[in-house]
Amino acid sequence: MTLGSPSSDDRAAQPLRSDAERNRARILAAARTVFRRDGLHASMASVAREAGVGIATLFRRFATKEDLVAAVFADRMDAYVDAVGVALDDPDPWRGLAGFIETGCAMQAADYGFADVLTMTFPAAKGLEERRGQAYEGVVQLIDRAKAAGRLREDFTPEDLVLVYMANAGVVNATGDTAPDAWKRVVALMLQSCEAPARGPLPDSPEPRALYRAMLRASQACSASPEAGKKD
């Protein structure tokens, strides 16, 4: 055998590696379609059907639903973080904050899956959560700048942004196929209620830990499908 030439085992393995990569790409494309259309409560089995692969093949590529969600929405979360940077570059603090909130809500309206991603947390998806953390740090700066400029009510908190996303996700899910622009009116109403001067005090904001538990419970619920443990 000539040194450097592939053995028969190597030649046999190469198509398998190629097939595996094609299956992975097919699964990711299918998951984007299914999650965009149905949200994260869509089952792994529905993704496998859309991809035209068996459920066992899907689980070989992505051992958990969290793994699949992290891979599908990595680029969306990158775009979300980039939107924070654009907002911070705006010399008008209120316009920057309001524009960022509108962008986040528009991303939710365009993709039911991402609407869910912004209202859930996925502890095992380290990369996704790191990017969420980066966005959060920027959001805190946006909020502080808008308050310092006298444009944002003083009792607005970062947790209120999560509530905005939760409310918007509900509107998008309820009206997306019949009144697809309804979310714009709701977001405008919420933004106008956030401007200073405030018309009156707000009830207390939820504790960060309580809101985190709600987001975690939501992600666990979307992963607990009957197919989650079925791999053959």
Side-chain angles (χ1 to χ4, degrees):
M1 179 178 69
T2 304
L3 290 177
S5 63
S7 68
S8 59
D9 287 344
D10 290 336
R11 286 193 296 269
Q14 286 172 356
L16 291 177
R17 288 195 294 269
S18 179
D19 286 348
E21 183 56 36
R22 283 196 296 271
N23 282 339
R24 186 179 191 278
R26 189 180 300 127
I27 290 166
L28 285 175
R32 289 189 183 99
T33 297
V34 171
F35 290 153
R36 183 186 299 114
R37 182 187 66 219
D38 302 331
L40 296 191
H41 287 277
S43 69
M44 294 287 270
S46 65
V47 173
R49 285 193 297 270
E50 180 75 21
V53 301
I55 192 72
T57 297
L58 188 155
F59 277 108
R60 278 197 296 271
R61 302 282 75 81
F62 300 97
T64 68
K65 195 172 187 180
E66 273 195 14
D67 292 338
L68 182 58
V69 168
V72 168
F73 291 104
D75 60 340
R76 291 286 78 203
M77 190 58 78
D78 286 345
Y80 180 70
V81 174
D82 289 344
V84 180
V86 171
L88 287 170
D89 287 339
D90 194 317
D92 183 321
W94 171 253
R95 186 174 61 198
L97 175 62
F100 169 71
I101 293 174
E102 288 170 347
T103 296
C105 290
M107 292 175 74
Q108 287 186 299
D111 188 323
Y112 286 3
F114 196 68
D116 290 337
V117 167
L118 289 185
T119 65
M120 300 178 184
T121 187
F122 304 89
K126 301 299 184 185
L128 194 71
E129 293 306 316
E130 284 175 7
R131 297 298 272 163
R132 191 197 303 275
Q134 292 171 6
Y136 177 84
E137 292 174 4
V139 166
V140 171
Q141 294 180 53
L142 288 171
I143 290 172
D144 290 345
R145 289 196 329 162
K147 286 182 179 179
R151 297 296 308 279
L152 178 65
R153 56 186 304 150
E154 285 295 326
D155 52 359
F156 187 91
T157 71
E159 289 69 43
D160 290 325
L161 180 57
V162 180
L163 296 180
V164 168
Y165 287 149
M166 288 178 170
N168 189 56
V171 171
V172 167
N173 284 319
T175 66
D177 58 344
T178 57
D181 290 332
W183 69 271
K184 295 179 181 179
R185 183 175 178 87
V186 173
V187 172
L189 289 169
M190 289 189 286
L191 283 175
Q192 290 180 31
S193 73
C194 293
E195 285 191 84
R199 297 292 297 272
L202 292 172
D204 291 341
S205 176
E207 291 292 328
R209 286 189 177 183
L211 201 54
Y212 176 83
R213 288 196 298 270
M215 294 172 70
L216 181 61
R217 183 172 58 202
S219 67
Q220 291 171 337
C222 84
S223 296
S225 63
E227 295 88 351
K230 184 178 179 182
K231 304 186 182 183
D232 51 26

